[in-house]
Amino acid sequence: MYPEKLTLTFADYIVIGAALVISSIIGLLFQFINNGNTNKEYLLAGRNMPVFPVILSTMATFMSATTLMGIPVDTYLYGTNMLFMNIGFILGPIIAAYVFLPVYFASDISTVYEYLEKRFGKVLRRILSAAFMVVNILFNSATLYAPALALNAVTDISLWVSIITIGVVCTFYCTLGGMKAVLWTDSFQAVLMFICLFAIIIKGTIDLDGLENVFKEAYDGGRILLPKFSMDMASQYTMINIFLLGMIVTISSYGGSQVQVQRMLTLKSLSESRKTIFWSIPLIVALHVLCCLTGIIFYAYFRHCDPLTAPNKPIQAADQIMPYFITRTMQAYPALPGLCIAGIFSASLSTISSILNSLAAVTVEDFIRPMRPNISHEVLITKIICLLYGAICIGFAFVMSSIGSLIKMNAIIYGMFAGPNLGVFILAVSTKASNEEGTIIGFVTSLAIAAFLSFSPRKEKSALLSLSNECPEFDIMNSTTAYSLAPTSQPTNSTIETPEETLQIPISYMWISSIGFFICLIVGYFASIIIAFFKKKKYDVPDIYLSPVRTWFSKREAFEKENNFDRTSAVADSKNDFPVSLHQETRF
């Protein structure tokens, strides 16, 4: 018999309700104030947004509820492996800011797939747009479902009520207020996300007598660790696959995803967009580090009485650890559990609303407008489409229960698309040899392989660290103190392999995005060369559609060839008694 769920207080519901009402009011506000009559104003905020809300929105959109709840769980079970993903989080956006953004601003586009049509053609634009829509509907549904399920398991908040409430509120303000409402609500919700994590960290640190004791418990339990440097594809975590996943996901998000690029296009200049990206990096890293610290605190708190393996089974899945910790340690403080739950809901709202807005933009700009260039009532049609996508995501949220843990769900759904998607955009902005047919072959091939790896059974070595359930005899469900008086047991690292008959592919899910990227890049490039050879056609690509980094290398190469030619001429002249200083020639 499982223990009863915690009943939230009236004050908790007031705080949660207030967070949802404020988000809705912001949407209503922008429905009547400066909403505009064109899609450029509705979807791109008139391209005159201030930098501050875009910075917060970029961070809040990138760090979804699956990250907010999943990273602490991953740290609790596997240690600080995911902390090193921040290396990719730092480098990826910087690369995107210099490689991709200049091209988009120069091309004067509304969606990233509009750029693909200018660079390649209509067919690739439609394929990438359709893939984006399918993947992000699934990702949105998972983001809506995951926190609702975890909260329902340990509180009296109904699963149906959570999903429908978050989905309806999000769809409401996103539909009414457009991009401006999304950006400003994201800013409000980003603050709540940080408040949630700080509340957990402060309360856990107090209960465990300081951060020094927290780190000591975590170190003794093997949770403070450095990922191994290995090319073993079956190992769940290595420094290489962690870094590559962080790098590819962030470059793909900032450089080739409509969700983030659309935010950059709401700003009036390239310099402001770069500034926004640079300032979003410390916020993303800070939130990610706080999530890892939260997981360390969870482990130190439950080290001697793990709720996953405790005799009375207080929780049934690791993804429920965060809400379980909140409800068990903060119930003596009125409204504090509600504030933390509002932070979890905010992490869902910010990501879902951003994706809904981008789905509407892609549908209208990439499918409807090419067929109906002079579409009338375009804003009304866009709002109706946004509303429909909200309803679809709510419906799909109820069929997401079979995917698994939050972090794995996040990596599989988005990572499956991120690698091939990035490969397409790298081919577009950095090569002249790539053409539409070859790029389509590369994308379809890589996406098929990534999907196969994502949903096929794998022979994966999982470095699950041991847990202790030497719980005291008193009822742990009624205790709000740490279990530091229980007998100590030293956990050791353990490697778990699922039997070969069920897991056949010896590749960790952490490699899927990287494999998809490199396959798309290699297959797409060489397929383009082969197709161009048989067609006997040379493709001319204007510099405006190529990255400044690419054109800089081209100009440097041309300069060096010219310089070498001049140097050879100078040597020849010197043999004919026309002395020329090589140093002077180089300067000239």
Side-chain angles (χ1 to χ4, degrees):
M1 181 177 179
Y2 301 133
E4 294 182 0
K5 298 177 181 180
L6 176 73
T7 301
L8 297 178
T9 65
F10 179 73
D12 295 321
Y13 284 110
I14 289 293
V15 173
I16 297 171
L20 298 176
V21 168
I22 291 173
S23 298
S24 301
I25 290 174
I26 293 174
L28 279 172
L29 182 66
F30 285 103
Q31 163 67 18
F32 299 108
I33 300 177
N34 197 29
N35 193 28
N37 297 315
T38 67
N39 263 5
K40 182 174 287 189
E41 293 170 318
Y42 181 76
L43 295 173
L44 297 176
R47 301 201 178 194
N48 62 355
M49 279 296 294
V51 170
F52 177 72
V54 183
I55 293 172
L56 290 175
S57 176
T58 301
M59 183 279 299
T61 301
F62 188 77
M63 307 297 280
S64 66
T66 53
T67 302
L68 189 74
M69 297 177 65
I71 292 295
V73 170
D74 197 87
T75 305
Y76 181 88
L77 295 175
Y78 301 105
T80 53
N81 291 290
M82 299 297 281
L83 181 65
F84 296 89
M85 191 176 284
N86 285 292
I87 302 172
F89 289 170
I90 293 170
L91 297 177
I94 296 174
I95 294 172
Y98 286 98
V99 172
F100 295 99
L101 279 188
V103 179
Y104 299 148
F105 273 87
S107 302
D108 189 28
I109 58 172
S110 297
T111 73
V112 289
Y113 308 112
E114 184 181 349
Y115 158 74
L116 288 182
E117 179 174 343
K118 293 181 177 182
R119 170 64 177 85
F120 290 117
K122 294 180 180 179
V123 177
L124 184 62
R125 178 184 184 180
R126 301 289 190 278
I127 292 174
L128 265 291
S129 299
F132 168 84
M133 292 161 63
V134 172
V135 168
N136 280 279
I137 287 173
L138 294 175
F139 185 75
N140 238 11
S141 301
T143 302
L144 181 59
Y145 169 81
L149 177 67
L151 288 168
N152 170 255
V154 298
T155 71
D156 58 344
I157 299 178
S158 166
L159 176 65
W160 282 87
V161 170
S162 294
I163 291 176
I164 293 174
T165 301
I166 296 175
V168 168
V169 168
C170 185
T171 304
F172 174 78
Y173 72 74
C174 180
T175 301
L176 289 182
M179 178 56 87
K180 287 187 178 180
V182 170
L183 292 172
W184 284 106
T185 51
D186 282 357
S187 302
F188 166 67
Q189 290 152 7
V191 174
L192 289 180
M193 290 163 65
F194 275 104
I195 289 175
C196 171
L197 293 176
F198 277 120
I200 293 172
I201 290 168
I202 292 171
K203 184 63 172 67
T205 302
I206 292 173
D207 288 350
L208 292 162
D209 299 324
L211 275 176
E212 183 179 352
N213 195 42
V214 169
F215 283 106
K216 182 181 181 303
E217 291 281 355
Y219 180 80
D220 291 342
R223 262 58 184 181
I224 309 295
L225 51 83
L226 184 73
K228 60 183 178 180
F229 288 85
S230 170
M231 283 300 295
D232 183 2
M233 302 287 283
S235 293
Q236 180 168 328
Y237 294 124
T238 67
M239 184 65 80
I240 297 171
N241 67 26
I242 291 170
F243 166 73
L244 283 177
L245 181 61
M247 174 82 80
I248 289 173
V249 166
T250 47
I251 298 177
S252 182
S253 179
Y254 280 85
S257 170
Q258 176 64 19
V259 179
Q260 292 290 41
V261 173
Q262 191 172 340
R263 269 145 190 70
M264 301 302 106
L265 296 178
T266 64
L267 299 159
K268 60 185 178 182
S269 68
L270 174 60
S271 60
E272 286 195 353
S273 295
R274 280 179 175 160
K275 187 189 302 181
T276 298
I277 287 181
F278 297 153
W279 278 107
S280 72
I281 293 172
L283 288 178
I284 289 173
V285 171
L287 193 77
H288 197 271
V289 170
L290 290 176
C291 287
C292 293
L293 178 56
T294 301
I296 290 173
I297 287 175
F298 291 162
Y299 175 75
Y301 189 89
F302 293 121
R303 182 184 175 193
H304 302 298
C305 190
D306 168 48
L308 286 167
T309 56
N312 62 338
K313 291 285 185 182
I315 62 175
Q316 307 307 306
D319 296 331
Q320 299 161 7
I321 287 177
M322 177 178 279
Y324 177 70
F325 179 89
I326 291 170
T327 56
R328 296 306 160 190
T329 63
M330 300 181 184
Q331 52 186 311
Y333 302 90
L336 190 56
L339 185 62
C340 292
I341 292 172
I344 296 173
F345 281 176
S346 294
S348 284
L349 287 167
S350 60
T351 301
I352 294 167
S353 62
S354 299
I355 292 178
L356 287 179
N357 192 271
S358 296
L359 286 169
V362 168
T363 302
V364 173
E365 299 296 329
D366 293 328
F367 288 96
I368 296 178
R369 190 177 297 282
M371 295 184 292
R372 297 281 301 274
N374 299 318
I375 183 174
S376 58
H377 307 293
E378 61 178 2
V379 174
L380 177 61
I381 291 173
T382 305
K383 288 183 177 182
I384 292 173
I385 291 172
C386 187
L387 185 66
L388 290 175
Y389 275 123
I392 291 171
C393 290
I394 292 172
F396 269 94
F398 291 100
V399 296
M400 298 301 295
S401 59
S402 61
I403 294 182
S405 70
L406 297 182
I407 284 297
K408 188 171 289 189
M409 181 183 348
N410 201 4
I412 287 177
I413 294 178
Y414 187 72
M416 174 183 68
F417 176 71
N421 181 69
L422 178 59
V424 169
F425 282 93
I426 288 288
L427 287 171
V429 302
S430 62
T431 68
K432 287 188 175 183
S434 57
N435 52 50
E436 184 177 28
E437 297 90 339
T439 305
I440 289 173
I441 292 172
F443 176 74
V444 172
T445 303
S446 61
L447 187 63
I449 293 173
F452 173 76
L453 294 176
S454 296
F455 297 105
S456 296
R458 287 184 299 278
K459 183 181 179 181
E460 187 175 69
K461 298 175 183 176
S462 175
L464 179 65
L465 302 176
S466 63
L467 302 165
S468 172
N469 60 1
E470 299 176 8
C471 302
E473 293 184 359
F474 58 82
D475 184 3
I476 67 169
M477 293 298 296
N478 296 323
S479 173
T480 59
T481 60
Y483 306 114
S484 57
L485 298 179
T488 301
S489 65
Q490 298 294 335
T492 56
N493 290 352
S494 59
T495 299
I496 299 176
E497 288 191 44
T498 310
E500 278 191 47
E501 59 267 23
T502 58
L503 290 183
Q504 301 294 330
I505 303 175
I507 297 177
S508 167
Y509 74 92
M510 295 286 289
W511 282 103
I512 293 173
S513 189
S514 303
I515 291 172
F517 167 68
F518 288 113
I519 289 176
C520 181
L521 204 62
I522 295 169
V523 173
Y525 184 77
F526 286 104
S528 295
I529 293 176
I530 293 170
I531 289 171
F533 174 78
F534 282 104
K535 280 190 169 184
K536 295 181 170 45
K537 182 178 179 181
K538 185 177 181 180
Y539 294 87
D540 184 31
V541 182
D543 284 349
I544 191 176
Y545 299 138
L546 295 173
S547 169
V549 177
R550 169 66 173 83
T551 55
W552 181 82
F553 277 108
S554 297
K555 291 176 182 178
R556 182 179 180 183
E557 182 180 354
F559 172 78
E560 288 178 350
K561 285 182 179 179
E562 182 180 354
N563 197 40
N564 287 334
F565 175 79
D566 292 342
R567 187 179 293 111
T568 303
S569 300
V571 173
D573 290 341
S574 67
K575 291 181 179 179
N576 293 312
D577 298 323
F578 290 101
V580 179
S581 169
L582 186 61
H583 176 67
Q584 291 175 346
E585 175 66 21
T586 304
R587 289 181 60 189
F588 175 78

